[in-house]
């Protein structure tokens, strides 16, 4: 049984209730977590507020930065243990889980060394006035994170918040929260004061909802579904607090007839099967110029059909989906694709010997005659399902790339420099890759969506601005 972290202590839910944690690999329960509710959220928010008024709030930026750096070191020292936990909880291949833990450490390194480098400004004003713009923490920050990359999302969300001197309350997803809890334990070990970082586990509609509408929080960051994102924004509106929303995407690769196949094909396959397609930035649409469509799809199909799903220890291209609901959802989409008349161009496989109760699906590559032939081209599937469609001109490519409600990422594959810029600038989204896709964790790179992919920016220095506020000091120094 795992416990949550409130006010520097490992605790059960106030009423002792728990939730079973199910392994995606075999569908069996392997541990329990506390089912935190309003009373537990109240305790966590109170602990965070007390930390701001106590030791944590008095620390200098340098001291906070040092603690974050120490936490980064501790994550690296516990790298294998954390990777095993992450893989057990999510079903990811071990190498994916290991990569995720490295990125987690990187968040603490990046923001630990940035903490004391956020400067204020002086502003020229009227005669005999000195005006300073100083940065201050927002206060108690609430972080509701999903199950697809629990460790990475935790680092992405919490490291900049702590660097800026906020005190945080985190509600991880009930499906995958073990690594997050372990890192919060490590934070206490390396010297974070009690209450600076609290973890409340529980159900989204209980602990998550209680946290997002709590009257004493000052900021919410949320990554997850659009449906819940709307609820979060409504809750933030009631308390007039700022929120950052990252709500997924339907990101398109655009492959022109001069694209470098050798670069593009492995990146496109990885971009949809990595993490079993359960990635907000998955490249889940493929637009290919008509002249090379047949040829490109044939080369892609060869590569795609080599993909294998297996258990974490098999360490193949991908694992199972996270839970029964996601398994049903992805299978529904595959059935819908067939019913809509899409052609299956290639399928990956499921390795021999995976347990019978696991949530494994066959990665599937579809071809569609036109972009409007199926909802699979516009809705987020969150599974290893890629749909390709041909286009004719550069203008068509941009129009189709923008033909969904989402706007998170895009990728342009062409050797033509002018076209690279025109298309990259034409796609309405928060990040565009040119002749590459999703390389590395991108801790340094501002990230976020437009349209229904959400608003606000995370990662990079910009997150330090999102997770702080300014105060203007206006001083008259004349006589
Ligand atoms: P979800 O419900 O939006 O879950 C995301 C987080 O929000 C989890 O921590 C969840 O807790 C919490 N939550 C749920 N209901 C809440 C509420 N009423 N108030 C406050 N917090 C709440 O997502 P899901 O149901 O797990 O997945 C459904 C779909 O969402 C996926 O298929 C995918 O399309 C999308 N999704 C996107 C991302 C992304 O990275 N953008 C991540 C996950 C899911 P519990 O999980 O404990 O309920
Ligand atoms: Mg949920």
């Amino acid at each position: 049984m795992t416990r949550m972290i409130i006010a520097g202590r490992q605790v059960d839910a106030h009423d002792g209730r728990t939730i079973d944690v199910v392994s995606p690999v075999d569908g069996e329960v392997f541990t329990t977590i506390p089912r935190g509710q309003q009373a537990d959220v109240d305790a966590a928010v109170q602990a965070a507020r007390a930390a701001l008024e106590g030791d944590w709030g008095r620390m200098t930026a340098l001291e906070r930065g040092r603690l974050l750096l120490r936490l980064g070191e501790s994550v690296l020292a516990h790298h294998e243990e954390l990777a095993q936990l992450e893989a057990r909880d999510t079903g990811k291949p071990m190498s994916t889980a290991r990569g995720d833990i490295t990125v987690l450490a990187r968040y603490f390194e990046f923001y630990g060394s940035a903490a004391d480098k956020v400067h204020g400004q002086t502003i020229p004003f009227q005669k005999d006035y000195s005006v300073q713009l100083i940065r201050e923490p927002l206060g108690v920050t609430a972080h509701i994170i999903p199950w697809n990359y629990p460790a990475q999302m935790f680092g992405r969300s919490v490291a900049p918040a702590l660097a800026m001197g906020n005190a945080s309350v985190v509600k991880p997803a009930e499906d995958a929260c073990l690594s997050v809890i372990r890192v919060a334990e490590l934070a206490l070990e390396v010297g974070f004061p009690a209450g600076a970082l609290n973890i409340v586990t529980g159900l989204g509609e209980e602990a998550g909802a209680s946290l997002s509408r709590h009257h004493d929080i000052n900021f919410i960051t949320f990554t997850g579904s659009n449906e819940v994102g709307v609820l979060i924004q409504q809750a933030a509106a009631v308390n007039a607090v700022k929120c950052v929303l990252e709500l997924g995407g339907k990101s398109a690769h655009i492959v022109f007839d001069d694209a470098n196949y050798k670069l593009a094909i492995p990146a496109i396959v990885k971009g949809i099967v990595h993490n079993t397609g359960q990635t907000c930035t998955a490249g889940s649409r493929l637009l290919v110029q008509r002249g090379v469509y047949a040829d490109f799809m044939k080369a892609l199909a060869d590569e795609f059909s080599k993909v294998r799903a297996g258990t974490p220890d098999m360490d193949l291209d991908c694992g199972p989906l996270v839970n029964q609901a996601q398994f049903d959802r992805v299978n529904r989409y595959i059935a819908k694709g067939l019913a809509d008349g899409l052609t299956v161009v290639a399928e990956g496989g499921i390795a021999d010997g995976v347990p019978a109760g696991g949530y494994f699906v066959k990665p599937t590559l579809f071809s569609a005659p036109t972009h409007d032939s199926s909802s699979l081209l516009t809705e987020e599937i969150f599974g290893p399902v890629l749909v390709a469609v041909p286009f004719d001109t550069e203008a068509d490519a941009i129009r189709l790339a923008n033909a969904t409600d989402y706007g998170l990422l895009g990728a342009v594959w062409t050797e033509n420099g002018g076209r690279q810029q025109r298309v990259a600038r034409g796609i309405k989204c928060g990040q565009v890759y040119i002749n590459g896709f999703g390389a590395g964790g991108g801790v340094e790179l501002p990230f976020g969506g437009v349209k229904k992919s959400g608003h606000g920016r995370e990662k990079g220095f910009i997150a330090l601005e999102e997770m702080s506020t300014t105060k203007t000091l206006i001083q008259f120094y004349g006589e």
Side-chain angles (χ1 to χ4, degrees):
M1 138 136 209
T2 307
R3 303 167 90 197
M4 54 191 179
I5 310 276
I6 297 178
R9 288 192 305 275
Q10 291 175 287
V11 294
D12 297 322
H14 73 288
D15 60 2
R17 292 172 81 184
T18 59
I19 303 169
D20 288 341
V21 180
V22 173
S23 163
V25 174
D26 56 15
E28 302 286 329
V29 175
F30 69 97
T31 187
T32 60
I33 51 168
R35 181 166 167 178
Q37 300 197 46
Q38 179 78 53
D40 306 286
V41 169
D42 286 345
V45 172
Q46 231 169 48
R49 184 62 63 194
L52 288 171
E53 283 158 16
D55 290 349
W56 176 244
R58 282 190 287 273
M59 278 191 188
T60 63
L62 173 63
E63 289 166 330
R64 292 194 306 266
R66 280 195 180 131
L67 277 177
L68 284 164
L69 289 171
R70 258 187 250 152
L71 183 53
E73 278 172 25
S74 177
V75 166
L76 291 178
H78 294 82
H79 192 276
E80 187 59 20
E81 177 201 342
L82 289 166
Q84 297 275 356
L85 264 183
E86 191 79 330
R88 178 126 214 239
D89 221 4
T90 60
K92 288 173 201 252
M94 275 310 300
S95 339
T96 305
R98 289 191 185 108
D100 288 3
I101 302 303
T102 304
V103 177
L104 167 68
R106 180 84 191 101
Y107 277 111
F108 294 122
E109 291 164 352
F110 183 87
Y111 289 109
S113 42
D116 60 349
K117 294 169 191 69
V118 178
H119 299 171
Q121 293 173 12
T122 58
I123 301 173
F125 191 50
Q126 296 163 5
K127 183 169 162 27
D128 294 340
Y129 274 89
S130 163
V131 180
Q132 296 164 281
L133 189 72
I134 60 170
R135 281 242 158 231
E136 296 196 328
L138 290 158
V140 176
T141 54
H143 307 256
I144 298 177
I145 60 175
W147 40 260
N148 49 349
Y149 293 91
Q152 279 204 43
M153 297 284 183
F154 176 74
R156 172 171 117 189
S157 178
V158 158
L162 295 176
M164 293 311 290
N166 301 287
S168 302
V169 179
V170 181
K171 207 308 270 177
E174 76 218 45
D175 285 307
C177 57
L178 303 182
S179 62
V180 168
I181 294 172
R182 185 68 188 118
V183 178
E185 291 169 7
L186 297 178
L188 292 172
E189 278 175 36
V190 302
F192 275 86
L197 172 59
N198 307 274
I199 314 290
V200 183
T201 57
L203 302 178
E205 55 276 26
E206 294 178 355
S210 300
L211 177 59
S212 60
R213 56 172 185 246
H214 200 287
H215 64 91
D216 199 26
I217 59 168
N218 305 104
F219 170 80
I220 312 177
T221 162
F222 170 81
T223 301
S225 61
N226 283 69
E227 298 70 28
V228 177
V230 169
L231 298 177
I232 300 287
Q233 183 146 352
Q234 286 168 343
V238 170
N239 285 317
V241 301
K242 170 171 155 179
C243 65
V244 166
L245 301 178
E246 202 268 88
L247 308 178
K250 191 72 190 177
S251 303
H253 289 278
I254 305 179
V255 177
F256 285 94
D257 56 11
D258 64 340
N260 178 335
Y261 281 26
K262 264 208 203 103
L263 282 182
I265 286 177
I268 290 170
V269 173
K270 188 169 179 208
I272 190 64
V273 303
H274 185 75
N275 215 42
T276 326
Q278 302 168 118
T279 306
C280 48
T281 55
S284 52
R285 287 185 298 150
L286 174 59
L287 314 177
V288 182
Q289 205 156 19
R290 200 176 301 278
V292 293
Y293 189 79
D295 188 46
F296 187 83
M297 290 305 289
K298 186 174 173 308
L300 183 68
D302 286 347
E303 192 72 15
F304 197 95
S305 53
K306 294 181 195 150
V307 168
R308 290 289 172 276
T311 64
D313 289 339
M314 292 175 181
D315 207 14
L316 303 172
D317 306 291
C318 57
L321 294 163
V322 76
N323 59 25
Q324 183 74 48
Q326 291 302 119
F327 179 76
D328 294 342
R329 173 189 171 109
V330 174
N331 280 314
R332 243 186 350 258
Y333 271 111
I334 293 174
K336 172 92 173 35
L338 294 171
D340 289 345
L342 305 189
T343 312
V344 176
V345 178
E347 277 180 336
I350 299 170
D352 291 338
V354 301
Y359 307 123
F360 294 92
V361 292
K362 272 192 193 166
T364 304
L365 172 60
F366 281 113
S367 172
T370 57
H371 196 272
D372 57 8
S373 47
S374 170
S375 61
L376 268 69
L377 280 144
T378 49
E379 293 175 13
E380 183 173 58
I381 300 173
F382 233 56
V385 180
L386 175 61
V387 191
V389 67
F391 70 86
D392 292 301
T393 63
E394 187 179 306
D396 289 340
I398 296 172
R399 182 178 51 79
L400 293 179
N402 291 332
T404 76
D405 288 341
Y406 291 107
L408 198 57
L409 240 74
V412 190
W413 298 92
T414 175
E415 298 295 297
N416 177 327
R419 175 167 277 174
Q420 290 169 352
Q421 281 294 319
R422 288 191 299 275
V423 177
R425 286 161 195 265
I427 305 175
K428 292 186 173 51
C429 65
Q431 268 188 357
V432 184
Y433 279 88
I434 298 166
N435 290 343
F437 195 71
V443 170
E444 306 84 349
L445 313 177
F447 170 80
V450 302
K451 295 157 69 182
K452 287 197 174 152
S453 290
H455 53 72
R457 291 292 176 266
E458 296 185 286
K459 303 187 174 183
F461 262 78
I462 209 163
L464 297 168
E465 287 172 27
E466 287 285 16
M467 301 209 187
S468 60
T469 185
T470 60
K471 183 185 278 171
T472 314
L473 308 186
I474 307 130
Q475 181 185 14
F476 179 67
Y477 59 80
E479 290 186 297

